[in-house]
Amino acid sequence: MLKTICIVIISFINVVPLLLLAENSPKNYLKAHNNARAEVGVKPLDWDPQLELHARKFVEKHIADCKKAFLDESLASKYGQNYAYSAPPQTAAEAVARWVKHKHNYDYKSNSCIDGTINCLCYTQVVWNSTTFLGCANVECHNSGASLTTCLYHPQGNIPNQHPYNIH
């Protein structure tokens, strides 16, 4: 009986990381992004393994202390970037939902964030019309029981004096 319980527990422990990986698959990131894009009539994104590789390097660079993660200037010159630190850890869909939630801060008419901050820029990057490729990564942080998620976008969005999408 004890042997059976141990095997079940060990099996469960081995399966949990696989379930977490499945929740952070390209399919999950794309679905969350493309649902938001469909709401404003923007074409869906395609997954780019090269962007995923860059995103993976970014999150792994900060895995020891995710709270210190901030935009990477070497990436910012080439790609759009959203990132989210979360305790407890979050899935791909939850991270993207946090960015999309800032939709209410965006005013299309003035093409700016309503509250005078930059809080809507994560949302506008998600729905940026000319962005066609996406690559994301997620890690569980070593120091805080949290996770760090980042997504890279190409071509980058949030171009000054341009709207993220057109209202028809």
Side-chain angles (χ1 to χ4, degrees):
M1 176 72 173
L2 183 59
K3 187 176 183 180
T4 304
I5 291 172
C6 289
I7 291 171
V8 169
I9 290 172
I10 290 169
S11 295
F12 179 73
I13 290 169
N14 289 334
V15 169
V16 169
L18 294 175
L19 293 173
L20 292 174
L21 282 174
E23 290 181 334
N24 293 310
S25 71
K27 177 181 167 185
N28 296 100
Y29 286 107
L30 283 169
K31 181 178 180 185
H33 276 83
N34 290 336
N35 285 345
R37 292 170 69 84
E39 287 180 14
V40 295
V42 176
K43 293 179 196 170
L45 296 170
D46 290 317
W47 191 257
D48 185 326
Q50 200 62 28
L51 290 176
E52 178 184 13
L53 177 65
H54 291 305
R56 171 85 30 225
K57 287 179 183 177
F58 174 83
V59 295
E60 288 177 354
K61 175 181 172 182
H62 297 287
I63 197 169
D65 190 356
C66 295
K67 290 181 184 178
K68 292 184 178 178
F70 51 90
L71 290 177
D72 186 321
E73 290 302 318
S74 66
L75 296 174
S77 64
K78 302 175 195 170
Y79 311 112
Q81 181 180 14
N82 280 341
Y83 66 96
Y85 170 82
S86 177
Q90 63 192 353
T91 65
E94 291 167 337
V96 179
R98 282 179 63 184
W99 301 327
V100 171
K101 186 174 144 182
H102 291 289
K103 176 181 184 174
H104 73 277
N105 288 354
Y106 177 67
D107 176 57
Y108 185 86
K109 189 174 182 177
S110 67
N111 194 30
S112 62
C113 301
I114 293 170
D115 56 6
T117 68
I118 59 170
N119 286 337
C120 68
L121 297 182
C122 291
Y123 167 71
T124 55
Q125 177 58 79
V126 168
V127 298
W128 199 267
N129 187 43
S130 62
T131 298
T132 54
F133 294 102
L134 174 69
C136 304
N138 175 291
V139 293
E140 290 207 24
C141 308
H142 289 170
N143 68 331
S144 58
S147 66
L148 178 64
T149 305
T150 193
C151 288
L152 298 178
Y153 305 84
H154 183 74
Q156 65 187 354
N158 292 325
I159 309 298
N161 303 315
Q162 290 184 23
H163 281 83
Y165 54 87
N166 295 317
I167 294 180
H168 302 291

